[in-house]
Amino acid sequence: MQAPSLAFALQQPKIMCNGVCAGEATPLSNVATPSRAFQYSPMHGPGLTPIVSPAHRGFGQCSAVSVVAPGGGTGINGAVYAELGQDPQFTVDFVGSSRAVYDCYPEYWPNGGPAPNLHSFAEDVLRHRWVEKTDLFVFGSRGGQVVLPVLWQHVGDRMPPTVHQRRL
């Protein structure tokens, strides 16, 4: 029996499209995403937090895993995310950043504050259409406490599957 892991949970047969295996170089696979470039090139706009919009994926491309960075363990779990990103069946994108100006609880939480906060960040995630371009979301701690409920409230059953990890 294989040890439980994110890759194991998402394991699926390789996707073939016109004889090309997902993950091989195709005209659609050369689009730089945060996971492929391992750098952030944020989009700035009026009233938007600096998060990168997901790359457009074509039919037959790999599964998109989006890690919500605030609370997502991008430091402590970084090696796991990097390993998953090396699997040709997956792309791993980081949504936002930990310790950013919006990485704080909203006013309705104890010791929370006004926007920018995790609630306004969740609205920006919606505005940047991450839900439509994601096959699986990974949340941790505060991202799962604030961002995930906001997304569920707005998209309901259209929300892709999620993993919420929490350190005990």
Side-chain angles (χ1 to χ4, degrees):
M1 179 176 197
Q2 186 174 356
S5 69
L6 189 56
F8 178 73
L10 295 171
Q11 199 168 28
Q12 57 184 311
K14 291 193 183 254
I15 300 168
M16 298 293 287
C17 180
N18 297 326
V20 177
C21 179
E24 292 180 14
T26 66
L28 294 175
S29 68
N30 64 355
V31 178
T33 64
S35 62
R36 289 189 186 119
F38 286 104
Q39 62 183 346
Y40 295 97
S41 55
M43 289 176 34
H44 296 280
L48 300 178
T49 54
I51 58 176
V52 180
S53 291
H56 295 282
R57 295 180 304 117
F59 174 76
Q61 289 193 326
C62 47
S63 298
V65 177
S66 296
V67 179
V68 174
T74 56
I76 198 162
N77 297 326
V80 175
Y81 296 139
E83 182 180 343
L84 184 64
Q86 295 301 311
D87 188 320
Q89 296 181 72
F90 307 101
T91 58
V92 178
D93 291 310
F94 297 97
V95 184
S97 347
S98 295
R99 294 178 290 284
V101 66
Y102 51 81
D103 190 2
C104 56
Y105 286 96
E107 294 172 313
Y108 52 87
W109 275 79
N111 301 315
N117 54 40
L118 290 166
H119 188 106
S120 63
F121 170 72
E123 292 170 343
D124 289 341
V125 169
L126 289 166
R127 198 171 10 258
H128 284 279
R129 302 179 52 103
W130 279 95
V131 171
E132 291 84 353
K133 303 294 182 184
T134 297
D135 297 309
L136 177 100
F137 272 106
V138 178
F139 295 90
S141 191
R142 58 197 180 275
Q145 294 169 326
V146 179
V147 179
L148 179 56
V150 172
L151 299 181
W152 274 338
Q153 181 182 14
H154 284 85
V155 301
D157 291 343
R158 293 180 298 126
M159 183 70 181
T162 64
V163 173
H164 182 200
Q165 57 184 342
R166 186 158 178 230
R167 196 171 57 169
L168 298 175

